[in-house]
Amino acid sequence: ESTTMNNSTDWNQELAKLQDIQSFISETEYNIRFEFLTNKIKQNDHQSIDGVSDMVVAKDGSHMAKMATSHCVINIVPPRDLWGSLLQSYRSANLPNQRCGPHFSFVDPFVEFEHVDEAALILTNALKTVQPFEIIFDSFDVFLRRRNSVLYLQPRFEPPNGFQLLLDKIEEVFPQCNDQRKKSDNHVYVPHLTLTRIRNKGPLFAEKERLENSFEPVSFTLKEIYILTRKGPDPFSVAKVIPLGNDDTPPHFGEGSLAQNSKDESRLGRSILVCGLVKESDDEALFQYFSSLGHPPHLYEKCRNPNGSFRSCGVIEYSSRSAAEILLAEFYDEHIYLIPMWNSVFPDVIGGTCSI
């Protein structure tokens, strides 16, 4: 038993060293090393990584520094195959600089990057007592604001207290991360999935009526939540998947998802999010850049805002999974970095929902 403990401690020390040099290596290399080390911890403890938390991680995260900005959050993100049904008006919505697909962020901001690994272990243990629950979208409502009012999908839950139990448990172990509730009316957080922001209230109610007459209810089982992180203005990627209860099914996004499997030849598995690009560059510049590296993409698209202005990210797609994985393994650039699409929550594959 003592040997197992020592081996586990050694691997945790190696993990700490890796985090110290994170800013000096590529994101792909960091992810590969991180996966290797966490697997070693699991193997040497002969138990899940949750078991490691009992030895080396505090019972709550109240001591952790909270992120000053929304670069680390906890979001509820519906499965990607529901995005089209949820976001009927997304392409024309006044939602520039989107960093996540349809979602509601109820812990924003979360902790500093340096605490994410330990925070994930704390949450995994805490949320074992919170069972998966159903989220149903079948009604709309508005937040009336002086400048831009909001039209949103209003979720309901089955059982009705499912979401509140989840929120209460997270705030119990991370009491400092309650900004969304504190800034809400009467300090009561209203879960919502924003569809559009409109300055003129007349069109807002007209759009609400239109959707109410045409919208087909959408539902899914919430069985995991995601700690999401991002750099600068770029989209979020999944840092950690936190299951609810003892759910062990593959998550919809991130580590362990079906699309992560190297045998997955879907468009999602063959697509890569490219971040850190020059905003003013266009689609052709994106293609030429990767072609110059010997990795010409099969499809390519620079992300745009609803007004047509370019963003600092884009999507490339390859004709095979192996071609995409070779690029991910070989790529290095001082400013540009890559995220496998299966680990990103925005945008979608080229031509899909949120593809702009």
Side-chain angles (χ1 to χ4, degrees), residues 229-240:
T229 59
R230 65 181 174 89
K231 296 180 181 180
D234 291 322
F236 283 109
S237 60
V238 178
K240 295 291 178 180

Side-chain angles (χ1 to χ4, degrees), residues 161-199:
N161 65 343
F163 175 77
Q164 194 61 49
L165 288 175
L166 172 62
L167 180 59
D168 289 347
K169 180 57 71 172
I170 293 175
E171 289 191 353
E172 178 183 317
V173 291
F174 289 94
Q176 72 275 38
C177 298
N178 60 355
D179 295 62
Q180 292 296 306
R181 182 173 57 79
K182 283 169 57 179
K183 72 181 184 181
S184 301
D185 294 340
N186 301 317
H187 288 183
V188 176
Y189 172 71
V190 178
H192 60 282
L193 192 154
T194 298
L195 290 177
T196 187
R197 295 185 180 93
I198 300 178
R199 185 166 296 182

Side-chain angles (χ1 to χ4, degrees), residues 258-266 269-270 321-322 325:
L258 293 177
Q260 183 198 8
N261 190 313
S262 61
K263 295 181 180 180
D264 179 70
E265 287 289 341
S266 68
R270 295 185 278 114
R321 178 65 179 257
S322 60
E325 291 194 336

Side-chain angles (χ1 to χ4, degrees), residues 41-42 45 47-57 59 120-125 128 241 243 245-246:
I41 292 172
K42 294 177 190 178
D45 284 335
Q47 55 190 334
S48 71
I49 197 162
D50 303 335
V52 180
S53 68
D54 293 333
M55 297 184 295
V56 299
V57 180
K59 293 299 182 182
L121 294 173
I122 291 172
L123 282 173
T124 298
N125 282 335
K128 285 179 179 178
V241 178
N246 293 309

Side-chain angles (χ1 to χ4, degrees), residues 3-301:
T3 302
T4 300
M5 180 72 76
N6 288 334
N7 285 340
S8 176
T9 303
D10 289 344
W11 288 116
N12 276 287
Q13 290 174 349
E14 292 299 314
L15 189 59
K17 292 177 184 178
L18 174 63
Q19 290 164 346
D20 288 339
I21 65 169
Q22 180 178 2
S23 60
F24 300 100
I25 61 178
S26 70
E27 184 166 346
T28 299
E29 183 178 354
Y30 173 82
N31 289 338
I32 292 172
R33 292 190 189 181
F34 179 81
E35 182 177 3
F36 171 78
L37 291 172
T38 52
N39 282 336
K40 282 293 185 182
I41 292 172
K42 294 177 190 178
Q43 293 166 9
N44 282 304
D45 284 335
H46 301 288
Q47 55 190 334
S48 71
I49 197 162
D50 303 335
V52 180
S53 68
D54 293 333
M55 297 184 295
V56 299
V57 180
K59 293 299 182 182
D60 68 63
S62 58
H63 62 286
M64 298 180 183
K66 182 175 62 177
M67 181 72 72
T69 60
S70 295
H71 284 71
C72 181
V73 302
I74 298 178
N75 279 3
I76 289 176
V77 187
R80 196 181 294 262
D81 59 5
L82 298 180
W83 286 9
S85 300
L86 290 167
L87 299 181
Q88 296 181 14
S89 60
Y90 190 89
R91 288 181 180 274
S92 60
N94 181 26
L95 295 173
N97 300 314
Q98 279 292 289
R99 301 183 180 99
C100 186
H103 69 282
F104 46 100
S105 54
F106 61 109
V107 181
D108 180 4
F110 192 43
V111 297
E112 293 277 2
F113 292 147
E114 65 196 71
H115 300 305
V116 165
D117 291 333
E118 186 181 4
L121 294 173
I122 291 172
L123 282 173
T124 298
N125 282 335
L127 298 186
K128 285 179 179 178
T129 61
V130 178
Q131 297 305 311
F133 57 92
E134 289 295 306
I135 299 182
I136 304 101
F137 294 98
D138 58 6
S139 64
F140 299 83
D141 209 338
V142 298
F143 293 132
L144 296 178
R145 302 285 187 259
R146 286 186 177 182
R147 296 187 64 184
N148 290 322
S149 293
V150 175
L151 170 64
Y152 64 89
L153 267 167
Q154 184 173 36
R156 58 183 178 88
F157 310 104
E158 189 58 48
N161 65 343
F163 175 77
Q164 194 61 49
L165 288 175
L166 172 62
L167 180 59
D168 289 347
K169 180 57 71 172
I170 293 175
E171 289 191 353
E172 178 183 317
V173 291
F174 289 94
Q176 72 275 38
C177 298
N178 60 355
D179 295 62
Q180 292 296 306
R181 182 173 57 79
K182 283 169 57 179
K183 72 181 184 181
S184 301
D185 294 340
N186 301 317
H187 288 183
V188 176
Y189 172 71
V190 178
H192 60 282
L193 192 154
T194 298
L195 290 177
T196 187
R197 295 185 180 93
I198 300 178
R199 185 166 296 182
N200 188 319
K201 294 180 177 61
L204 184 75
F205 286 100
E207 179 69 0
K208 178 176 180 290
E209 182 178 359
R210 182 188 72 81
L211 288 172
E212 287 173 334
N213 292 330
S214 61
F215 187 79
E216 294 291 333
V218 176
S219 65
F220 70 100
T221 300
L222 183 74
K223 58 189 184 67
E224 74 251 356
I225 58 174
Y226 308 100
I227 301 177
L228 305 179
T229 59
R230 65 181 174 89
K231 296 180 181 180
D234 291 322
F236 283 109
S237 60
V238 178
K240 295 291 178 180
V241 178
I242 313 297
L244 302 188
N246 293 309
D247 184 86
D248 60 357
T249 59
H252 297 297
F253 303 88
E255 194 78 23
S257 61
L258 293 177
Q260 183 198 8
N261 190 313
S262 61
K263 295 181 180 180
D264 179 70
E265 287 289 341
S266 68
R267 294 189 62 198
L268 187 65
R270 295 185 278 114
S271 296
I272 299 171
L273 175 63
V274 185
C275 298
L277 299 169
V278 176
K279 275 188 178 181
E280 292 72 21
S281 62
D282 58 12
D283 296 345
E284 186 60 26
L286 181 63
F287 173 76
Q288 291 299 334
Y289 174 75
F290 285 97
S291 295
S292 70
L293 300 178
H295 297 278
H298 173 62
L299 295 173
Y300 49 94
E301 179 179 63

